Amino acid sequence: MSELSSNAKKVIEEHLGRYPSKQAVTLPALHVVQEEKGCVSRKAISEIADILELSPAQINDTLSFYGFFRTEEDPLGKKRVWICRSLPCMLRGGDELLAELCSRWNIQPGQTTADGEVTLELAECLGACDGAPCMLVDDELTLCVTADDVEKQVRGGA
Amino acid sequence: MSNEDFKPVLLARQGKPNSHTLETYKADGGYQALAKALAMKNTEVIDVVKASGLRGRGGAGFPTGLKWTFLPKDVSGPIYLCINGDESEPGTFNNRVLIEQDPHQVLEGIVISSFATRTTTAYFYLRYEYGRCYRVLKDAIDEMYANNLLGKNILGSGYDLDVHLHRGACAYICGEETGLIESLEGKRAWPRIKPPFPAIEGAFRRPTVVNNVETMACIPHIINHGAEWFMSMGVPKDPNNPRDAGSYGPKLYCISGHVNKPGLVELPMGISARDLIDKHAGGVWKGRKAKAVVPGGISMGFMSEKELDTPLDFAGPGRVGCLGLGTAAVVVIDDHTSMVDVLYNACRFFAHESCGQCTPCREGTAWSTKILERIRDGRGKLSDIDLLLEISGSMGTIPGTTICGLADGAAWPMKNAIHKFRPEFEEYIKSGRRSESPALAGAH
Ligand SMILES: Cc1cc2nc3c(=O)[nH]c(=O)nc-3n(C[C@H](O)[C@H](O)[C@H](O)COP(=O)(O)O)c2cc1C
Ligand code: SF4
Ligand code: FES
């Protein structure tokens, strides 16, 4: 059975027409797979490589450069929450916010809560320093957050 | 023009209802500049942009029109325009606001610039974190195709253009123009050794121009109102310095950190940091004083309190020992904050974001972070201060030891912090105290 969904294949196919090289579709392909599955498995890598006429090592080389992608040993929770720790956010409590969430959820940055709901990540500047400290949930920014705001938004109250 | 009379140009449509739609953009005169440009020769468009004195807003301040003339004159085959929307320099968020609020302004600039540079395919490289921007741009591009503003024979001119959005994957180095190109090509974002410069050999080994989002947003206004209008704003060339290209036009200043009203302000180039903080950001918070101010993203280093009257134009920050104007992202640090903590934060950023190709950058950013960790843990030595200076003096394109400017950006906060705040570092180390701010184990 194919690891890539028919949607993923369709997205990859659409992107092939946009670039003069197949390799340029590497990031779009990795994105669609991770968005669907929460990780990019070894099988997915080799199927992407087949479509792009590359070796799996080339896909893996790119994948591993960007800390953004997860392998099947280390999949994401249902939601991925990034807390910014760069200077403007640090000056307005970013470090304290991250430390507080680590202690409330009993995990370290990079880890997922025991119920598999939330992966907590530390981010460098998210481009929302006007709303420091800020967070990113998947790919949506929320400005000026407290630990309670974060919990409400990603764990629905509690 | 005084700052009081200034009316926003790039932010003029901020906060209007549905400012992101084609309909409202057109109602406000949108795409008239495109029609005007398409009736000109492409070289005439370049001449106007050149004459306006517009310099790139992405950090390096390179004259935009001049960059376009570096493309080979008679080339067969494609030329590419890459729009740099990787915006990741700490403190910087102007591209995000421009895209979310007024995507068509940016896109009109892209079509005009593509026409000027004879590009028929443009890639808009957007950092992944800007999901809202991505969706806004996607809709705006769809509207353009549906209204003959993209695709074949745009507005009946015979000119064809496709614009493709390309999402990044959370790496600062993708903002460096050749790192961006490598990333676009599907590889790790390792900046290339230059020359060849992208204008000769860039994306997919073809002649390529890379321009910032704010640079693109300036273009329609220059075409509409002319080069002289653009030059009526900002700071003219220094007649005593033949290498100064002046600082013309409106500029977006991002203000963050310890101020009462963080936000985005548009002003003619050249306001001082002090006026920006006091008149446009509600002053330093909690009635405190500023200790240090970042003039244009943390790569640019720090100004001390007594340097705050420095104009924030392309030449100003350099005169007080900063690297440059950078992205004009001003970060205010109050007098209750430890410069040791601030410098640690900056070094940790660059250690995290170094791509690792060049030894001085990879090792220099990692070791400076470790040294500052040790100092913050109460185990610093006075000799660490000179060690940090030595490291900062040996990495970067300025000493000529690295491929790209990330290392200069890493070195500058170190140099400025130590030169301008040395007694604070000495006192901190002598006291043997430990930082109060939480430092997570394994957090980098
Ligand atoms: C480490 C590094 C990161 C950069 N990040 C960005 C960025 O996020 N956005 C940007 O426009 N330029 C960035 N630049 C500058 C680009 O290399 C390039 O000069 C710019 O995109 C050119 O556009 P402009 O002439 O319109 O400013 C960066 C440079 C370096 C060295
Ligand atoms: S200077 Fe640093 S970021 Fe730039 S190419 Fe070298 S190692 Fe990579
Ligand atoms: S520093 Fe947190 S968003 Fe910029």
Side-chain angles (χ1 to χ4, degrees):
Chain A
M1 212 187 90
S2 165
E3 176 80 4
L4 300 183
S5 70
S6 55
N7 174 59
K9 284 184 192 155
K10 194 177 116 241
V11 170
I12 294 170
E13 200 58 46
E14 280 167 8
H15 276 83
L16 283 172
R18 299 184 190 171
Y19 307 89
S21 89
K22 291 191 169 162
Q23 185 166 16
V25 184
T26 303
L27 280 186
L30 292 172
H31 276 309
V32 65
V33 172
Q34 178 152 304
E35 268 166 27
E36 287 181 355
K37 311 238 159 147
C39 66
V40 186
S41 68
R42 218 163 288 135
K43 192 145 181 280
I45 290 175
S46 82
E47 289 180 25
I48 294 170
D50 279 346
I51 302 176
L52 304 187
E53 295 173 10
L54 298 166
S55 85
Q58 284 170 293
I59 303 289
N60 199 40
D61 186 70
T62 301
L63 176 150
S64 60
F65 178 81
Y66 302 92
F68 180 78
F69 299 107
R70 295 291 188 106
T71 59
E72 64 217 284
E73 288 81 32
D74 193 19
L76 292 169
K78 284 201 194 116
K79 286 193 177 129
R80 192 178 201 181
V81 177
W82 303 79
I83 303 295
C84 179
R85 65 167 185 178
S86 291
L87 185 63
C89 280
M90 172 204 119
L91 293 172
R92 298 180 80 105
D95 285 347
E96 288 78 4
L97 173 62
L98 184 61
E100 171 70 19
L101 291 171
C102 287
S103 99
R104 285 195 193 182
W105 297 347
N106 198 21
I107 48 175
Q108 289 295 306
Q111 296 178 340
T112 302
T113 51
D115 58 8
E117 285 293 317
V118 186
T119 302
L120 180 64
E121 304 264 20
L122 52 84
E124 298 294 357
C125 183
L126 290 168
C129 332
D130 48 340
C134 65
M135 76 163 164
L136 182 78
V137 180
D138 299 327
D139 69 358
E140 278 279 345
L141 290 163
T142 309
L143 277 51
C144 301
V145 291
T146 63
D148 288 343
D149 298 336
V150 178
E151 286 221 281
K152 212 191 237 152
Q153 184 167 335
V154 303
R155 316 215 72 180
Chain B
M1 190 189 296
S2 80
N3 287 351
E4 283 69 36
D5 301 336
F6 176 77
K7 284 203 193 61
V9 177
L10 304 175
L11 299 183
R13 304 186 63 255
Q14 280 274 309
K16 288 194 175 185
N18 294 319
S19 62
H20 61 284
T21 63
L22 179 60
E23 194 187 336
T24 66
Y25 185 66
K26 275 191 158 167
D28 289 335
Y31 290 108
Q32 285 173 8
L34 175 61
K36 193 170 166 186
L38 290 175
M40 295 160 71
K41 284 208 209 107
N42 82 295
T43 48
E44 290 169 347
V45 177
I46 297 182
D47 289 342
V48 176
V49 173
K50 222 168 146 180
S52 75
L54 172 65
R55 294 172 64 178
R57 296 334 196 199
F62 196 85
T64 305
L66 184 63
K67 187 191 276 189
W68 295 355
T69 63
F70 293 162
L71 291 165
K73 293 279 167 303
D74 29 43
V75 47
S76 62
I79 292 170
Y80 295 112
L81 174 68
C82 296
I83 296 90
N84 192 339
D86 195 56
E87 185 162 79
S88 312
E89 174 69 32
T92 314
F93 49 86
N94 58 355
N95 290 181
R96 185 196 97 231
V97 176
L98 279 175
I99 297 169
E100 279 181 5
Q101 298 279 328
D102 206 351
H104 284 287
Q105 173 178 238
V106 177
L107 287 161
E108 184 176 12
I110 292 170
V111 184
I112 297 170
S113 305
S114 298
F115 172 72
T117 55
R118 294 162 290 152
T119 295
T120 56
T121 307
Y123 295 102
F124 197 136
Y125 192 103
L126 185 68
R127 68 180 301 193
Y128 183 82
E129 296 90 327
Y130 286 179
R132 205 169 305 159
C133 291
Y134 173 72
R135 288 178 277 280
V136 165
L137 280 170
K138 208 160 171 273
D139 291 347
I141 289 172
D142 287 347
E143 285 181 302
M144 290 172 76
Y145 275 105
N147 287 276
N148 193 218
L149 294 162
L150 278 179
K152 296 269 178 248
N153 191 20
I154 294 171
L155 299 179
S157 64
Y159 173 62
D160 304 340
L161 175 69
D162 287 310
V163 176
H164 300 300
L165 288 173
H166 190 93
R167 301 184 80 174
C170 309
Y172 171 69
I173 197 58
C174 296
E176 196 278 342
E177 57 186 6
T178 59
L180 182 151
I181 288 169
E182 288 284 311
S183 177
L184 175 70
E185 291 183 358
K187 303 171 191 157
R188 46 170 82 183
W190 272 10
R192 293 178 182 169
I193 295 173
K194 293 153 276 247
F197 288 94
I200 306 300
E201 192 180 299
F204 310 107
R205 306 270 159 218
R206 300 295 310 167
T208 300
V209 169
V210 182
N211 271 135
N212 172 263
V213 168
E214 186 185 340
T215 311
M216 290 294 99
C218 293
I219 301 290
H221 303 283
I222 292 172
I223 298 300
N224 269 332
H225 307 295
E228 269 180 40
W229 164 83
F230 197 77
M231 293 186 94
S232 72
M233 289 170 270
V235 180
K237 283 184 199 157
D238 174 357
N240 299 318
N241 178 1
R243 292 177 57 202
D244 181 28
S247 303
Y248 298 104
K251 181 76 195 86
L252 299 179
Y253 291 98
C254 306
I255 314 170
S256 64
H258 293 152
V259 290
N260 283 314
K261 260 182 25 195
L264 187 62
V265 179
E266 182 180 8
L267 288 165
M269 280 252 187
I271 187 170
S272 71
R274 196 180 303 283
D275 280 354
L276 195 62
I277 295 165
D278 291 343
K279 296 188 183 155
H280 299 276
V284 181
W285 76 350
K286 302 183 183 175
R288 294 178 187 168
K289 281 211 178 83
K291 177 193 273 187
V293 170
V294 169
I298 60 168
S299 300
M300 298 299 122
F302 306 102
M303 301 192 298
S304 65
E305 204 283 333
K306 59 179 194 297
E307 293 165 346
L308 294 188
D309 295 307
T310 309
L312 296 174
D313 59 24
F314 284 113
R319 288 200 292 267
V320 294
C322 295
L323 185 51
L325 178 66
T327 59
V330 171
V331 185
V332 179
I333 297 156
D334 74 15
D335 56 359
H336 286 47
T337 308
S338 160
M339 286 308 285
V340 176
D341 287 342
V342 168
L343 185 60
Y344 168 68
N345 185 285
C347 287
R348 185 182 64 183
F349 173 80
F350 291 106
H352 189 254
E353 300 300 334
S354 168
C355 83
Q357 267 191 108
C358 319
T359 308
C361 173
R362 182 185 64 242
E363 300 300 317
T365 55
W367 283 102
S368 57
T369 307
K370 288 204 175 101
I371 292 166
L372 282 153
E373 247 164 31
R374 181 166 80 205
I375 296 175
R376 276 172 34 116
D377 197 36
R379 296 180 291 116
K381 305 184 206 114
L382 279 175
S383 59
D384 285 343
I385 299 177
D386 284 326
L387 186 54
L388 286 170
L389 269 186
E390 191 187 324
I391 294 172
S392 69
S394 60
M395 62 172 165
T397 58
I398 293 170
T401 60
T402 64
I403 293 172
C404 93
L406 181 140
D408 302 279
W412 238 261
M414 293 163 73
K415 290 184 196 190
N416 285 171
I418 293 174
H419 283 135
K420 298 181 187 184
F421 301 93
R422 189 172 185 122
E424 190 180 330
F425 282 80
E426 291 172 348
E427 189 274 325
Y428 194 107
I429 292 171
K430 282 189 201 145
S431 76
R433 76 166 175 275
R434 302 182 63 178
S435 171
E436 286 153 21
S437 79
L440 291 162
H444 55 84

